[in-house]
Amino acid sequence: MIELPLFIDLGDAAVHTLNGIFRGSILFMIASGLTIIFGVLGVLNLAHGEFYGIGAFLLTSIATFFVVRIAAPTDPLSTAIFAAAIVIAVLLSAAILIPIAGAIEATVIRPIYDRAEMYQLLLTYALLLILVDTIRIIWGSQPVRPAAVDGQQIHAALDVIPMEELFGFQYSSVRIFTIFIGIGTFLFLLWFFDRTKTGRIIRATAIDREAATAIGVSSDRVFTLVFALGGFFAGFSGALYSVSAIPATAEMGGTALVLSFVVIVIGGLGSIRGSFVGAILVGVVWSWAIAEYPPAEIAAPFALMILVLLVRPEGLYGAWGEIE
Amino acid sequence: MSNEDQSEEKETIRLMKGLHLTKPQLALALVGLVVVLLVPEIEGFFDNLQLDTFHNGILWGMAALGLALLLNKTELVSFGHAAFFGGGAYGGAMLVNFVGVDSGLLILFAAVFFSTAMAFAIGWFVADYVAIYFALLTLAFGQLLYAIAIGSPTLGQDEGLRLRSGGEASGDPPSLFGIEFTLQQQGEYRLVLYYFTILLLIASMIVMYRIMKSPFGSALEAIGQNRTRARFIGIPVERYVWGAFTISGFYGGIAGGLYGLRQLSIGPEGTLYVFVSGEILFMAILGGFQTIIGPIIGGIVLTFLLDNVRFLTEHFELIIGILLLLVVFVLPKGIWGSSEDIKNGLMTRVKNPAQLGADVGTLQKMLINAVRNAITTIKIILFGVK
């Protein structure tokens, strides 16, 4: 019998790929919201990246609030309490975005459903500008990180949670959790739109708004719900990203937005499966570009997109306009 | 040109084939022309009027004019128009840096050629798509170019390129019409460039007017109204959209090339970024994309605001965003496009002051309705319709 080493030391290639899947999970949570909002409301929300940015900034504030009040992780119990606090902080950051997104939909986006696309785009672009500056007014224009624990970042404090025994290799625990949350979100959304009553109501409204209204669905409520749901997941991914050592900047929303476009174009607009596959692909390509040839960092995902468009103009899971 | 229907009844003056103006319109155009030509002379008398801002505003307006062709006729929203503006600027700058040309006209020619070629290539990809997909893809292509410019060491990454001789910071500006300029003569250089810009502006406005009135323009309008119908009556839809996209890239190229010549130093952030595309779109709509003069006015107004609000407050994006919201809800036809409505509205109120009282009543009703709607909305969102 061959004796396998207990912990595999991952090579560079595997680390880049894992980083890519991590980024892909984050991207999926943003892009899925964008794609669902587009599928149901018919509005391409240019301000969606800012929800992600707000989530990240909210986490820095809330996590700092917890970190200075909770004992630093030293033994298993205190680590568990610390981790629970961070999870609560992430959920709280995302939850704050539900009323924000809902209010935005109900006040400014609702009146423009019947207007031409250029006004819809212009309006969400205006929201983008307003939200970017709101972030700058609240948190300043410098990059922000959550307060350090015992001189180390949150993710480092959490990375003491052992991963080797579970998976047999050494990699950041926080990122592994994020990947699992990304996959979990994907499965949840599939289940939600396929099996639950609310999910089916949303799909019905997306397909035929008038018929849905006729059988007693409030389309206004559905639209607000969908927009708030998208805001929640964008904020959630921003918060998770912020936990993983990446400082929050006012510009992060723009980059995320543009990469989400690439993701949904690759996957096919309106398709949740497509945006998952697209997000993982873009994440991996992006990470490899950062590691191997940094100048191509932003260009590589676009090259991938053009490649996909040449082969399949309607995207990998070409739904283009309907949720599936 | 917005009230061309009435022009048949009134006495018109024929400037050229298909371009008739009434006397007041002609007078207005002449006054506008004189003001534009006099800007370098009178800028000293006004604190807020800078030739630089005005010149840049005209250039952005020219790019917006190209975009207006797509917006107005084919009803397609290009959210990546910075690609052609920046493409033009970079096209010219590359000629200076890699070939060593220092003739302004050649640089402009290269700029136009480069961005038209790019519009031609991108147009092949996007001509099949409609509505939001078109916006999404143009945005993505624009960002791709930005990514290339900011990632490539040859293109100077985030520093960008210079258009001075030898690409040096203290190099001379390019020559114009055979006149050489030294570093000290930059003022004269910019003045010559300004008048050249005005010439090109007038030419490009007339050409755009002719394009919009041509059978090609009508075909584009048919495509905008209904693609299937247009296809059935024999219009090669994709080819025409492709053509219109290339023309609008051509306009972006002229504007970008001139912008490069004017700034003498260009960077990806100011010419290629997605926000720049948003600004160009905003300019076209702010001024009124259904007219020829509108986009130019939009360009000048927004550039003026951007340049001046930046000094007043750090948070100019917030102000611009709120302004944008107002344009979407209150002034969808733009400044120039709504001028007729505003004039009529004012005239009615001057003739009949009692109308003002009715206005207050209408406003009151609107407010009460808004509050009532908000309460209902919150109720529905929280508890459903039951």
Side-chain angles (χ1 to χ4, degrees), chain A residues 38 44 108 110 115 119 123 125-126 128 133 136-137 218 221 258 261 265 269 295 298 302 305-306 309 313 320, chain B residues 125 129 132-133 136-137 139-141 143-144 147 151 275 315 317-318 321 324-325 328-329 332 377 380-381 384:
Chain A
F38 180 77
L44 188 69
V108 283
R110 183 165 301 173
R115 303 273 294 273
Y119 295 111
L123 183 105
Y125 174 67
L128 180 153
D133 248 356
R136 287 210 188 100
I137 290 170
S218 160
R221 195 180 183 210
V258 171
F261 283 165
V265 168
L269 203 46
I298 316 178
F302 289 102
M305 180 195 84
I306 291 169
L309 278 182
W320 288 84
Chain B
F125 269 98
Y129 294 94
I132 218 79
Y133 312 106
L136 200 76
L137 286 176
L139 192 152
F141 275 106
Q143 254 336 72
L144 173 64
F275 284 8
H315 303 291
E317 277 173 357
L318 182 71
L324 206 46
L325 278 186
V328 170
F329 286 121
T377 306
I380 288 177
I381 288 169

Side-chain angles (χ1 to χ4, degrees), chain B residues 311-375:
Chain B
F311 289 119
L312 288 179
T313 156
E314 202 185 325
H315 303 291
F316 68 97
E317 277 173 357
L318 182 71
I319 311 233
I320 301 296
I322 292 169
L323 194 74
L324 206 46
L325 278 186
L326 286 179
V327 168
V328 170
F329 286 121
V330 186
L331 217 63
K333 278 199 272 176
I335 298 172
W336 191 255
S338 314
S339 59
E340 202 81 347
D341 297 348
I342 295 172
K343 205 173 78 188
N344 288 341
L346 278 180
M347 288 306 266
T348 335
R349 277 157 191 72
V350 167
K351 275 185 207 147
N352 181 11
Q355 184 73 31
L356 280 173
D359 288 343
V360 174
T362 327
L363 266 179
Q364 246 171 4
K365 255 183 216 155
M366 271 168 68
L367 263 178
I368 293 170
N369 272 338
V371 172
R372 203 173 284 154
N373 280 343
I375 294 170

